[in-house]
């Protein structure tokens, strides 16, 4: 059995906020349940995706994992340590990237920022050199080392930040939207780098993102959180089953025909001239559907479309809304 | 400890890159030095020995305070706004998950800044003042050394006060009111407007006991040799006590803030 490295048991975070109510100047106290009883465990060396809509509670969870926010309830352990109680002790063992913030020093060249990071974590010289060299190479930072951070573009700064979070060989890396604002090439580079860090160093990675391609390319396991609750925790493929997603068969016929009917397990969702779209459950095989169509229709060409993960998750969250509102 | 040395050094370097701001600051300090010098000459010719200073000592007060103004952040411009802004925007999160002590970190950074500004913003105004006016600067290097020690203690007190003020941002998200009050208190009770020695009676006694006087009034008095010997030890003790008490209070408040309070932003 693999031992859990990160362990959450019924973790909650309730914010107390004061809001203006109505037109009166009186301010009302109310509470926001940002994280509402979340339990999960992540074994050492795993790379998990942590996704959900805006305001779901992802960043709040990450902050509790780093120890800068104290949970309002439940039990939380990282490497056996209660983060908010022993924040400084844990800090040496974790790396954090908050996409919207920078850990680098605005007026200092990248290189000087790294030198400070080295001092903060007391990284031995040889290890520091090796790690920096690897980061510079894989993240293509060579030309940027002498540039003050304020002169870096968003994507350049982000790559600089990711390197800064890894110089001290953290056991776990929390990434809160690390690919926000990156171009396609930089995204690919960052993903390749993260995959390598995870597989070579065995770094445990918790990744929050709105770019589901990140998840598809990096994580075998994904957790979906909505309104502070975990609504899914499992493999990426399992998402399709839970989300009741459908694949689409696109067929080109010889000529315009009425919508294809009588193919078991499939229904025609769209017709455009000689082209027709048939939807069927993602888990089902396409072969019998293809042969049923080919038997009875003059088939010229066909293609198969996989469901977009965005749609799958959107559907799952919608059905969750439905369930929630059904319960009084 | 080497970490905090590196923090101070990088802060020194950071302020050294603001060349235009430094030049503008030197210019302003020098101009204000002249304005205040002529004001003080007018005052001291009506009331010689006001506050126990002769005219040369009063002018030394003017030019030394202009030289220390930026370093001691008597008109603002230290780390306070930066720390408040980090708390307000939630960037403080980044400082908090590092294995470093928040208070020592900011202290080191502020001392680095002060060291640069003492040199970059202090030397020229003091030299101009000494060239254009008859100042009562000491000739003994020992007095200068005592002055520097007193400046350092004053910087510690100044930091400690501002750290307390900045931490209130954890609770009061709008720090403008607190800033204004603390800025005014500092401006007046440090002696930046008028030497605290000119205020008579109980008010003057109280003003000279408050921590702000450790930031400017006491170091200048050390330079002027007004309180040498046992008085010098007394000055150091006064500054040292305030530094200790206020830094300890800062630690206490920091513990409260980081345990109870919310880090802002997503
Ligand atoms: N400091 C705070 N005070 C009050 N409420 C807060 C605070 N921080 C977050 N919240 C609330 O908690 C909820 C979760 O916020 P969180 O930042 O964790 O969302 P998120 O999942 O990271 O969203 P996003 O994808 O937009 O980054 C939101 O409803 C937010 O309004
Ligand atoms: Mg977020």
């Amino acid at each position: 059995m693999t031992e859990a490295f990160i362990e959450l048991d019924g973790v909650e975070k309730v914010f107390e906020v004061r809001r203006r109510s109505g037109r009166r100047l009186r301010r009302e106290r109310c509470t926001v349940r940002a994280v509402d009883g979340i339990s999960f465990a992540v074994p050492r060396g795993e790379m998990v995706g942590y996704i959900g809509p805006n305001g779901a509670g992802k960043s709040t969870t990450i902050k509790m994992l780093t120890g800068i926010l104290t949970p309002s309830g439940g039990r939380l352990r990282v490497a056996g340590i209660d983060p908010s109680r022993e924040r400084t002790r844990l800090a040496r063992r974790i790396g954090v990237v908050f996409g919207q913030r920078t850990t680098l020093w605005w007026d200092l060249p990248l290189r000087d920022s790294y030198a400070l990071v080295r001092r903060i974590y007391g990284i031995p010289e040889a290890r520091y050199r090796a790690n920096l060299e690897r980061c510079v190479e894989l993240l293509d930072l060579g030309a940027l080392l002498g540039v003050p951070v304020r002169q870096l573009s968003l994507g350049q700064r982000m790559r600089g930040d990711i390197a800064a979070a890894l110089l001290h060989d953290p056991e776990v890396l929390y990434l809160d939207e690390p690919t926000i604002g990156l171009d396609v090439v930089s995204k690919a580079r960052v993903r390749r780098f993260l995959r390598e860090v995870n597989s070579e160093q065995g770094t445990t990675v918790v990744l929050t993102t709105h770019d589901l391609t990140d998840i598809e390319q990096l994580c075998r396991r994904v957790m979906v959180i909505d309104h502070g609750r975990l609504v899914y925790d499992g493999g990426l493929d399992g998402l399709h089953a839970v989300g009741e997603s459908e694949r689409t068969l696109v067929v080109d016929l010889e000529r315009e025909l009425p919508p294809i009917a009588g193919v078991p397990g499939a229904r025609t969702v769209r017709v455009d001239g000689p082209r027709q779209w048939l939807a069927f459950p993602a888990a089902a095989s396409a072969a019998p559907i293809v042969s049923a169509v080919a038997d009875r229709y003059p088939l010229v060409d066909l293609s198969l479309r996989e469901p977009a993960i965005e749609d799958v998750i959107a559907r799952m969250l919608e059905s969750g809304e439905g369930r929630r509102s059904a319960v009084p | 400890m080497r970490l905090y040395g590196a923090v101070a050094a990088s802060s020194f370097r950071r302020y050294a890159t603001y060349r235009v701001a430094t030049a503008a600051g030197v210019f302003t300090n020098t101009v204000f030095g002249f304005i205040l010098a002529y004001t003080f000459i007018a005052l001291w010719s009506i009331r010689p020995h006001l506050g126990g200073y002769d005219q040369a000592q009063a002018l030394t007060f003017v030019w030394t305070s202009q030289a220390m103004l930026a370093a001691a952040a008597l008109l603002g411009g230290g780390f306070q706004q930066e720390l408040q802004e980090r708390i307000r925007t939630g960037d403080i999160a980044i400082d908090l998950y590092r294995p470093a002590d928040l208070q020592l970190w900011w202290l080191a950074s502020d001392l680095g800044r002060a060291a640069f500004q003492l040199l970059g913003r202090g030397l020229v105004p003091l030299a101009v003042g000494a060239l254009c006016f008859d100042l009562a600067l000491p000739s003994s290097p020992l007095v200068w050394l005592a002055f520097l020690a007193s400046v350092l203690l004053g910087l510690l007190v100044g930091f400690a006060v501002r750290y307390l003020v900045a931490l209130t941002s954890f609770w009061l998200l709008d720090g403008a009111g607190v800033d204004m009050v603390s800025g005014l208190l500092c401006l007046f009770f440090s002696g930046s407007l008028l030497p605290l020695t000119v205020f008579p009676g109980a008010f003057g006694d109280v003003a000279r006991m408050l921590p702000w006087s450790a930031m400017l009034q006491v170091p200048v008095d050390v330079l002027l040799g007004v309180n040498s010997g046992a008085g010098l030890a007394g000055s150091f003790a006064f500054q040292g006590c305030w530094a200790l008490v206020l830094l300890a209070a800062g630690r206490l408040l920091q513990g409260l803030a980081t345990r109870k309070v919310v880090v802002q932003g997503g």
Side-chain angles (χ1 to χ4, degrees):
Chain A
M1 202 192 95
T2 41
E3 184 199 349
F5 185 63
I6 300 172
E7 222 177 342
L8 281 79
D9 191 8
V11 170
E12 292 175 10
K13 180 70 205 181
V14 182
F15 289 112
E16 210 163 274
V17 287
R18 264 179 252 149
R19 289 216 177 98
R20 285 235 179 93
S21 61
R23 252 176 252 130
R24 273 165 293 165
L25 279 173
R26 215 159 49 89
R27 297 226 240 156
E28 264 179 22
R29 280 169 171 272
C30 54
T31 54
V32 178
R33 305 188 71 81
V35 171
D36 196 4
I38 283 190
S39 307
F40 63 78
V42 179
R44 194 181 276 276
E46 195 171 50
M47 172 132 64
V48 295
Y50 194 60
I51 59 177
N54 289 136
K58 304 179 296 294
S59 298
T60 306
T61 312
I62 302 261
K63 283 181 194 158
M64 288 192 283
L65 287 171
T66 60
I68 58 181
L69 271 188
T70 314
S72 318
R75 200 185 108 102
L76 196 160
R77 292 286 180 276
V78 176
I81 296 176
D82 181 349
S84 64
R85 277 174 178 269
E86 294 185 79
R87 175 162 47 83
T88 317
R89 187 155 82 93
L90 187 65
R92 294 185 186 283
R93 304 171 63 176
I94 66 176
V96 190
V97 177
F98 288 117
Q100 299 98 321
R101 308 183 191 285
T102 181
T103 46
L104 305 166
W105 286 267
W106 208 234
D107 292 301
L108 295 183
L110 212 44
R111 184 184 289 116
D112 291 12
S113 277
Y114 293 153
L116 265 182
V117 169
R118 191 199 140 198
R119 288 248 184 269
I120 295 175
Y121 293 95
I123 311 168
E125 179 72 30
R127 169 159 300 193
Y128 170 73
R129 284 245 188 89
N131 284 348
L132 184 58
E133 202 170 296
R134 188 168 52 107
C135 288
V136 165
E137 189 199 317
L138 289 171
L139 291 169
D140 193 24
L141 295 171
L144 305 176
L145 283 177
V147 182
V149 173
R150 65 185 136 81
Q151 291 173 17
L152 295 180
S153 79
L154 176 64
Q156 292 169 336
R157 199 219 78 208
M158 194 83 79
R159 283 184 277 143
D161 259 312
I162 293 174
L166 284 164
L167 293 174
H168 62 292
D169 289 322
E171 293 165 57
V172 55
L173 180 63
Y174 303 116
L175 300 159
D176 194 352
E177 303 190 38
T179 53
I180 191 170
L182 296 196
D183 65 31
V184 192
V185 180
S186 299
K187 272 187 187 174
R189 198 180 274 281
V190 164
R191 287 181 195 134
R192 203 176 331 130
F193 179 71
L194 293 177
R195 204 176 302 126
E196 178 165 324
V197 166
N198 174 248
S199 61
E200 311 258 302
Q201 326 281 117
T203 310
T204 311
V205 180
V206 178
L207 169 67
T208 281
T209 180
H210 289 293
D211 182 346
L212 295 168
T213 319
D214 290 343
I215 304 285
E216 283 180 304
Q217 298 201 351
L218 293 172
C219 309
R220 237 166 292 147
R221 174 177 168 199
V222 55
M223 290 186 269
V224 184
I225 172 179
D226 188 25
H227 290 92
R229 290 168 188 270
L230 207 57
V231 294
Y232 179 82
D233 180 0
L236 204 53
D237 13 331
L239 257 184
H240 293 296
V242 172
E244 295 153 5
S245 66
E246 293 182 317
R247 291 196 282 172
T248 311
L249 182 69
V250 185
V251 295
D252 286 326
L253 305 177
E254 263 171 16
R255 57 186 185 279
E256 270 184 58
L257 284 170
I260 294 171
V263 178
R267 63 203 162 81
T268 307
V269 290
R270 198 177 151 201
V271 179
D272 183 10
R275 177 170 287 191
Q276 302 206 8
W277 283 259
L278 282 81
F280 61 98
S285 165
I289 295 165
V290 172
S291 67
V293 173
D295 279 351
R296 294 169 27 215
Y297 290 88
L299 194 58
V300 178
D301 197 4
L302 62 80
S303 66
L304 199 57
R305 296 205 180 143
E306 295 297 327
I309 186 163
E310 274 91 354
D311 299 339
V312 176
I313 287 168
R315 202 186 301 233
M316 189 167 83
L317 294 177
E318 264 165 35
S319 67
E321 293 284 349
R323 270 201 297 281
R324 206 190 333 278
S325 50
V327 180
Chain B
M1 231 45 237
R2 286 175 64 192
L3 162 63
Y4 300 105
V7 171
S10 87
S11 172
F12 184 99
R13 250 176 288 138
R14 172 181 155 199
Y15 278 87
T17 58
Y18 304 150
R19 296 222 182 99
V20 179
T22 305
V26 166
F27 178 75
T28 316
N29 288 145
T30 311
V31 170
F32 267 90
F34 276 105
I35 295 172
L36 281 175
Y38 287 114
T39 314
F40 275 38
I41 288 174
L43 267 176
W44 259 261
S45 55
I46 300 168
R47 294 281 304 274
H49 300 286
L50 181 60
Y53 296 145
D54 60 27
Q55 184 173 304
Q57 285 176 319
L59 288 175
T60 311
F61 195 100
V62 167
W63 287 103
T64 316
S65 40
Q66 287 305 312
M68 288 177 60
L69 209 61
L74 296 173
L75 300 179
F79 71 101
Q80 188 186 324
Q81 281 82 8
E82 204 181 329
L83 178 53
Q84 281 170 327
E85 190 61 12
R86 286 183 82 77
I87 295 171
R88 210 178 55 73
T89 58
D91 279 349
I92 194 74
I94 286 164
D95 306 334
L96 288 177
Y97 73 66
R98 287 192 178 120
D101 181 77
L102 198 66
Q103 192 188 32
L104 276 178
W105 179 282
W106 285 93
L107 175 59
S109 161
D110 198 46
L111 288 181
R113 174 199 60 80
F116 172 77
Q117 293 192 324
L118 205 55
L119 297 172
R121 296 271 304 263
L123 289 180
V124 174
L126 193 59
V128 170
L131 281 177
C132 301
F133 296 89
D134 203 6
L135 301 189
L137 292 173
S139 49
S140 154
L142 277 180
V143 178
W144 282 100
L145 222 66
F147 167 66
L148 284 182
S150 181
V151 167
L152 178 65
L153 286 170
L155 290 175
L156 288 180
V157 174
F159 167 82
V161 170
R162 277 183 272 273
Y163 191 71
L164 283 169
V165 173
L167 285 191
T168 60
S169 307
F170 272 111
W171 291 273
L172 312 167
L173 288 179
D174 180 12
V178 183
D179 279 9
M180 203 142 67
V181 172
S182 78
L184 271 176
L185 288 175
C186 175
L187 187 68
F188 186 82
F189 287 107
S190 62
S192 322
L193 287 179
L194 271 176
L196 296 178
T197 48
V198 309
F199 299 108
F203 179 77
D205 289 339
V206 171
R208 287 185 291 272
M209 297 285 286
L210 295 176
W212 293 280
S213 81
M215 301 178 196
L216 181 69
Q217 181 69 46
V218 174
V220 177
D221 278 345
V222 168
L223 185 73
L224 291 172
V226 178
N227 38 13
S228 48
L232 186 63
S235 299
F236 286 157
F238 171 76
Q239 290 181 300
C241 282
W242 270 124
L244 275 181
V245 167
L246 293 169
L247 286 171
R251 287 212 83 76
L252 218 68
L253 200 62
Q254 163 181 321
L256 275 181
T258 50
R259 239 172 291 130
K260 295 240 164 179
V261 161
V262 160
V263 173
Q264 300 296 318

